[in-house]
Amino acid sequence: MPPLCYRNSGTGRFAVVPARQLGKYFAGNYIGRGLARLDWNNDGRQDAVITHLDAPLALLTNTTPRTGHRLVLRLVGTSSSRDAIGATFTARAGKRTWVTQLTAGDGYLVSNQKQLVIGNPDRQPA
């Protein structure tokens, strides 16, 4: 099966991103099983690792251009689970509000990196 990547239009709809825009991995066919998000190279852009049934895992590095600023939070629970799973974080800047939640994982038998990344594309890096 071909791997698919969807882009959020910001209007409640998603569109498939053409494989030619995404890199070599998306030109292949795989029997994928799990996908976990992480920032393996600590550049503030979410990367992914994908497990397969009949092939080695794939580490996909996000190489999109840097834009804006980001806030990276690594939460530690004090009166809840140590990993702070389920914690909800709300950030406000001007008229914009971001809400994000720390989840254990959103793929089959995988766990995401335990951090929240909030980006502000309206602000350009110094």
Side-chain angles (χ1 to χ4, degrees), residues 2-125:
L4 299 174
C5 178
Y6 293 87
R7 176 173 287 132
N8 184 343
S9 70
T11 63
R13 300 198 178 271
F14 292 83
V16 174
V17 179
R20 68 183 178 281
Q21 294 179 11
L22 298 169
K24 181 180 169 183
Y25 176 79
F26 288 87
N29 288 303
Y30 312 92
I31 302 176
R33 285 295 179 253
L35 181 143
R37 291 176 288 112
L38 72 158
D39 182 8
W40 75 266
N41 55 1
N42 205 26
D43 66 358
R45 293 175 282 190
Q46 295 286 287
D47 306 308
V49 63
I50 301 173
T51 62
H52 303 104
L53 183 62
D54 59 353
L57 66 86
L59 176 60
L60 305 182
T61 301
N62 184 342
T63 60
T64 57
R66 291 180 185 267
T67 60
H69 291 279
R70 69 185 178 280
L71 173 65
V72 178
L73 301 169
R74 292 185 181 94
L75 306 177
V76 177
T78 56
S79 61
S80 62
S81 69
R82 183 91 173 140
D83 288 336
I85 300 302
T88 300
F89 180 80
T90 303
R92 291 182 181 86
K95 295 180 180 180
R96 298 204 50 190
T97 300
W98 295 264
V99 178
T100 187
Q101 187 174 47
L102 188 63
T103 60
D106 46 22
Y108 177 72
L109 294 176
V110 298
S111 182
N112 296 323
Q113 187 175 18
K114 305 295 189 282
Q115 68 181 23
L116 298 175
V117 179
I118 298 172
N120 185 355
D122 295 336
R123 301 225 19 221
Q124 292 303 311

